[in-house]
Amino acid sequence: MKKILALHTGGTISMSASNGEVHTNEENPLLDSQFINDNIELTNEVILNKPSEHITPEDMLVIKKKLQEVEREGIYDGIVVTHGTDTLEETAYFLDLTVPNKIPIVVTGAMRSSNELGSDGVYNFQSAVLTAASDEAADKGVLVVMNDEIHTARYVTKTHTTNVNTFRTPTFGPIGMVYKRDIRFFQALIKQQACDIQSLKDGVYLVKAYAGMSAIIFEALNRPDTKGVVIEGLGAGNLPVEVVEPIQVLIDRDVPVVMVSRCYNGVAEPIYDYIGGGIDLERMGVIFCQGLNGPKARLKLQIAVSGNMSDEHLAKYMQDAVS
């Protein structure tokens, strides 16, 4: 008998619709769902009841501490976290970066509320529970299970505003599948590393590059409480010439500036050697982060800053695509 704990945080999976409008419920309808499996004992606990747009990194830290508390107790064989989909990938990745988990941790959600036609909530929830109860799900980092697919929290992202098949892993694909009778994995993470922070620092920002970008954005970020900046750069990690000088000012103030690509597929890497090109930016001190999107890189940088990493350690941590 596997014992699985489900921690509920709110989101569409816990909501209902009426007259075409989706709203929160005082009580999560998943608490009444019947999980039919003689080999699994499921316990439900509500720790938050928020739309995922309202979830903050401080809330993520609360979930992280709860997960570690549950692991220390040693009662459960796996944990499922239900969450709204808009920021699900961010919470999942935050947990992936900060929880040195020994038992499976699986995050799931729904694109359709509990009483909508074709609701996917209960199905995704049961798939997540089955995954958390699988021995093979251990030592794979935090997993995201949606629509019969198992993804790593590290690379999965929401790709469609409403489609139930919205969660995808660009470039790499899912690492496993949920079948009718079992769970199957066919990929594994290269390595896993947790930064066990206990508090968070603010002042880490995300900026998206665009044609004709003005220096004023980075000039506005040149303030005493700015702790770090992540840029979603053009192509492989390039920027308009107008923003190069104010970025150099930030770097000279020892503010870490991290580059990812705004492209859906591929990685940021220094290729072009001209003003604003990746090689030029790397010479200036911009840190290239490969494989992450902007929101995840921002969370990773916030965790690095909160962990008081040295400049050298922080740069290596952000550059390492597999930690």
Side-chain angles (χ1 to χ4, degrees):
M1 176 73 71
K2 289 292 187 78
K3 293 185 176 182
I4 304 299
L5 174 65
L7 299 175
H8 301 283
T9 69
T12 299
I13 195 170
S14 69
M15 297 181 185
S16 298
S18 59
N19 299 320
E21 299 177 354
V22 180
H23 55 82
T24 57
N25 292 310
E26 289 188 10
E27 185 168 325
N28 192 323
L30 281 181
L31 303 181
D32 296 327
S33 64
Q34 299 296 312
F35 190 81
I36 304 173
N37 190 305
D38 294 337
N39 299 316
I40 297 175
E41 179 183 323
L42 178 64
T43 301
N44 290 287
E45 182 177 340
V46 176
I47 57 172
L48 293 171
N49 188 21
K50 292 185 174 186
S52 68
E53 300 84 358
H54 297 182
I55 296 285
T56 65
E58 287 71 26
D59 291 324
M60 298 175 193
L61 190 64
V62 168
I63 300 169
K64 174 255 188 194
K65 291 179 178 179
K66 176 63 177 180
L67 292 176
Q68 289 184 289
E69 176 188 325
V70 170
E71 285 218 36
R72 284 194 298 269
E73 290 172 350
I75 298 173
Y76 296 99
D77 301 297
I79 306 171
V80 171
V81 179
T82 65
H83 196 285
T85 59
D86 282 356
T87 61
L88 184 150
E89 65 190 86
E90 290 169 78
T91 294
Y93 187 55
F94 182 95
L95 300 176
D96 188 60
L97 287 171
T98 59
V99 179
N101 60 305
K102 297 179 181 177
I103 62 175
I105 296 174
V106 181
V107 184
T108 193
M111 295 303 295
R112 297 171 183 163
S113 59
S114 60
N115 64 338
E116 287 186 76
L117 185 66
S119 174
D120 55 332
V122 172
Y123 185 84
N124 285 340
F125 180 49
Q126 296 204 14
S127 295
V129 171
L130 285 171
T131 304
S134 169
D135 292 334
E136 291 185 64
D139 299 320
K140 287 184 170 59
V142 174
L143 302 172
V144 172
V145 171
M146 296 281 292
N147 202 42
D148 287 332
E149 294 183 340
I150 305 171
H151 298 263
T152 65
R154 186 174 301 168
Y155 298 124
V156 73
T157 190
K158 186 175 181 178
T159 66
H160 193 286
T161 54
T162 57
N163 196 300
V164 294
N165 193 28
T166 180
F167 280 87
R168 305 286 183 87
T169 297
T171 305
F172 308 115
I175 67 166
M177 300 291 292
V178 179
Y179 293 95
K180 294 295 183 184
R181 296 183 179 181
D182 61 0
I183 307 296
R184 296 182 188 176
F185 290 93
F186 40 83
Q187 292 187 56
L189 289 179
I190 297 171
K191 64 178 179 178
Q192 188 70 10
Q193 175 185 344
C195 182
D196 191 9
I197 58 170
Q198 298 302 313
S199 61
L200 281 170
K201 293 181 179 178
D202 293 324
V204 179
Y205 302 101
L206 173 62
V207 178
K208 189 165 190 169
Y210 55 89
M213 191 177 196
S214 169
I216 194 171
I217 296 173
F218 294 99
E219 291 170 349
L221 290 174
N222 184 15
R223 41 186 292 160
D225 58 353
T226 296
K227 302 290 194 305
V229 178
V230 172
I231 305 170
E232 286 191 0
L234 307 170
N238 310 300
L239 292 173
V241 64
E242 290 80 7
V243 303
V244 171
E245 186 175 337
I247 288 173
Q248 185 67 71
V249 171
L250 289 171
I251 293 171
D252 290 343
R253 285 190 45 235
D254 293 326
V255 174
V257 177
V258 174
M259 176 67 70
V260 298
S261 175
R262 73 176 195 179
C263 296
Y264 176 72
N265 274 300
V267 299
E269 54 183 334
I271 297 173
Y272 293 97
D273 192 4
Y274 48 75
I275 297 175
I279 291 175
D280 179 56
L281 296 172
E282 186 179 49
R283 274 196 299 258
M284 288 167 49
V286 173
I287 302 165
F288 276 71
C289 177
Q290 296 186 332
L292 296 181
N293 61 22
K296 288 183 180 179
R298 195 207 72 82
L299 274 176
K300 190 173 188 181
L301 181 57
Q302 185 177 16
I303 289 166
V305 169
S306 300
N308 297 314
M309 292 184 185
S310 65
D311 292 345
E312 183 180 354
H313 188 191
L314 183 148
K316 186 177 185 304
Y317 180 69
M318 295 305 302
Q319 289 166 344
D320 192 348
V322 295
S323 67

